[in-house]
Amino acid sequence: MGKEQSVGKDTEEEQGSSVDAPRIVDALPAERLNERPGERLQRNTVLWRYLDAAKLFDFFENATLFFCRADHFSDKFEGAFTPTLRDQISASYARGEIDYNYEQFKRRMRQSVYINCWHRNQDDSAAMWALYGKSDCAVALTTTVGQLSDTLREADTEHEAWIARVEYVKHWSDPKLDISPPSASGSASDYARIFAYKTKAYEYEKEVRVIIDHTAGPHAATCGEPEAGLLVAVDATRLLRSIVIAPDAPPWFEKLVRQSALRYGIRAPVRRSKLAADPI
């Protein structure tokens, strides 16, 4: 997560015209998308990823994005289904249309989907600094949806990656979730879109996710113990919009970040958070 420096000529249109580009989608059902058009993901939507110092310097050194396996998140509602979807899956199993029951299906999904998380905001957030910066020596990486999509297009993800704005719901109230297949495949992996929904308690995160689905591939959970996470190599110079230094970071840390960015050939501007400014 990060911010600053205008993206210039990025268009307002949504990405997705190229077959090779990651899909950019909203979790909202189609009939509700028109209710909040300003909320939809655009190529120039600004994204932030908050990091402590150790993760920053690891990013400088290795230029990778970490995708966490879905069952390693602390939220117990991660990848949760609704009562209606549970009943549909159970009914399909009873009819012999699928060879796994609901609990097996849910476990398989959570063990075979990998997620990289960003915060959607035009400016930095005091709450995000506190939660994910974890110390005064922290930074936020910023990009845009368009830059992230273009970077992932060039990355070797083995499986298709797609970018989704998370929708926050009350799972226990049986909301209608749009998990319609993005393609005509109709496979079980279409249900990976369930990870574009989170419980309402996390609404403050304003999360955008990159989701990689391995359920249909050689890394599926049925093939043995899957990886706890994936590292995807990216072009850092293409990805970064700016590097923002935590508001309370000491001067020596700011100097170190600037020097390190130059040493690693990072061209994105480095600045201190605007929250560090003295009030009038």
Side-chain angles (χ1 to χ4, degrees):
M1 309 174 218
K3 193 210 155 206
E4 225 5 20
Q5 183 208 345
S6 173
V7 141
K9 302 195 186 315
D10 272 338
T11 65
E12 294 279 327
E13 67 187 15
E14 294 205 23
Q15 180 69 13
S17 58
S18 170
V19 173
D20 297 325
R23 293 193 309 279
I24 298 174
V25 303
D26 284 272
L28 286 171
E31 64 268 21
R32 291 180 55 199
L33 282 173
N34 292 331
E35 295 178 10
R36 301 191 301 184
E39 292 280 323
R40 297 188 70 180
L41 286 178
Q42 311 293 334
R43 280 187 56 85
N44 62 358
T45 298
V46 179
L47 305 176
W48 298 67
R49 186 165 173 83
Y50 291 80
L51 307 174
D52 59 24
K55 291 179 180 178
L56 169 69
F57 293 116
D58 178 74
F59 178 78
F60 279 164
E61 177 66 27
N62 297 302
T64 56
L65 291 178
F66 178 69
F67 287 72
C68 182
R69 201 175 80 196
D71 64 336
H72 281 232
F73 286 104
S74 59
D75 177 16
K76 68 180 181 180
F77 284 97
E78 193 66 59
F81 289 90
T82 62
T84 294
L85 291 174
R86 178 195 59 204
D87 293 345
Q88 290 174 356
I89 294 167
S90 296
S92 294
Y93 175 68
R95 292 192 297 266
E97 296 171 353
I98 55 178
D99 58 0
Y100 33 75
N101 62 31
Y102 171 71
E103 289 301 327
Q104 292 170 332
F105 182 87
K106 181 178 177 181
R107 183 169 61 253
R108 178 189 181 199
M109 292 296 303
R110 287 170 57 84
Q111 291 183 345
S112 302
V113 172
Y114 298 83
I115 299 168
N116 177 254
C117 306
W118 296 78
H119 171 67
R120 173 178 51 89
N121 211 332
Q122 188 64 31
D123 299 294
D124 51 342
S125 161
M128 294 296 106
W129 283 120
L131 283 170
Y132 298 105
K134 299 186 187 303
S135 76
D136 292 343
C137 294
V139 304
L141 306 180
T142 79
T143 188
T144 64
V145 168
Q147 285 176 276
L148 181 59
S149 175
D150 293 343
T151 301
L152 290 170
R153 182 192 293 118
E154 304 299 327
D156 181 12
T157 60
E158 296 186 29
H159 293 68
E160 183 182 17
W162 51 285
I163 301 171
R165 178 175 65 85
V166 171
E167 173 70 1
Y168 299 92
V169 299
K170 298 177 181 178
H171 292 82
W172 49 89
S173 66
D174 202 17
K176 181 180 180 182
L177 306 187
D178 179 12
I179 56 169
S180 55
S183 65
S185 65
S187 67
S189 62
D190 296 332
Y191 282 92
R193 194 166 179 179
I194 200 73
F195 293 98
Y197 294 92
K198 292 186 69 173
T199 186
K200 276 278 189 181
Y202 291 92
E203 196 164 17
Y204 64 91
E205 290 183 341
K206 299 174 67 175
E207 190 174 340
V208 168
R209 293 182 150 185
V210 185
I211 300 173
I212 297 178
D213 177 16
H214 280 190
T215 53
H219 297 286
T222 54
C223 297
E225 181 62 25
E227 308 93 332
L230 301 176
L231 289 173
V232 175
V234 296
D235 182 348
T237 60
R238 186 182 189 119
L239 173 69
L240 293 181
R241 179 177 185 257
S242 66
I243 300 172
V244 182
I245 298 170
D248 296 322
W252 65 262
F253 180 71
E254 179 176 355
K255 181 178 179 181
L256 178 61
V257 172
R258 292 182 181 277
Q259 291 173 338
S260 299
L262 288 173
R263 186 177 305 118
Y264 283 96
I266 302 297
R267 298 189 297 269
V270 178
R271 69 166 181 88
R272 184 175 284 271
S273 166
K274 293 178 180 177
L275 296 175
D278 292 328
I280 297 175

